Amino acid sequence: MNVTTQSAAKTSSGLLSIVFVALIGATMLFFAGHAQSATLHDAAHDMRHATGFPCH
Amino acid sequence: MLAGGLIAGFAAGLLAALLHFAFVQELILLGEDYETGAVVHFTGAGEAAEATGHDHDVAGHDHGDGTAAHDHAGDADEGSALTRNALTVLFTALIYASYGLILVAGFALAEHFGRAISAREGLLWGIAGFVALQLAPAMGLAPELPGSVAADITERQIWWLGTVLATAGGIALLAYGANVLTALAGIALLAAPHLIGAPHPEGFYGVAPPEVAGEFAARVLGVGLVAWAALGWLTGRLWAQDEA
């Protein structure tokens, strides 16, 4: 019983946590790579050029 | 799930930063010298250039009136080189950490559908990630050396994002698809961004020499491949350890 509950919980939280982790990654990617705020842009400038992101 | 992706991401990011300073940074600085007018393309050019009749005064090398797409003149003054390079290391680690998170999310999705991930699959995923996030976008929007010109930033970002999503989806369909139809759909997704075409500027008047820009693009892609392969391998290895 206990085992089934656990594995069921693991599977159902699985998809949610997958989406969650992917969203964190995508958000970080956006701020580090694409956000056009001047401060972020200047700080990330060399990395953006060197990663092939559209920089400015 | 989070920890493995972050650890592998930061490690690959540090490797990428190391390779960046070994291969790429000097070309960025050289490009900026042209961009700010500290060095001028064609000055002291050989007789071959003279013979082709290029008019050196009007060949787009007018740096004074701000026709360059972007002015970096202040960058070097505002922060020391140390700060600048520290930020590059930090942001390279951050960007690879975000790649790492997206990779583990993909691993988790694959396992959800019953596919096991090991270091070897991780390596293949890493190479696929390089293709989706760097190589395919680069085929439309070459990595930009400072001092190059490009189309409107928003249009480029939209094409970049669309290309990344389509390429990632296309590779996933090819790799994990069940039949000929999914393979064909995968090929269509891979081709679509390039059939649509990336946004390009109306004319080319970059002040950086094409020789430097070409070498820059090639080095950026080479560094990206190595870092992504390391990222995928390490993420897969940590993932397999976690699952065991």
Side-chain angles (χ1 to χ4, degrees), chain B residues 34 39-50 56 61:
Chain B
Y34 284 99
V39 185
V40 178
H41 185 194
F42 283 140
T43 301
E47 284 177 21
E50 300 281 353
H56 296 183
H61 297 159

Side-chain angles (χ1 to χ4, degrees), chain A:
Chain A
M1 182 65 195
N2 206 7
V3 175
T4 7
T5 325
Q6 269 183 355
S7 80
K10 195 183 172 194
T11 330
S12 63
S13 77
L15 275 180
L16 247 185
S17 57
I18 290 171
V19 172
F20 180 65
V21 170
L23 274 182
I24 300 178
T27 310
M28 282 167 60
L29 186 67
F30 171 76
F31 279 108
H34 291 279
Q36 286 297 304
S37 114
T39 320
L40 264 180
H41 170 275
D42 288 350
H45 174 265
D46 292 357
M47 179 279 290
R48 289 185 182 185
H49 276 279
T51 324
F53 291 126
C55 187
H56 41 68

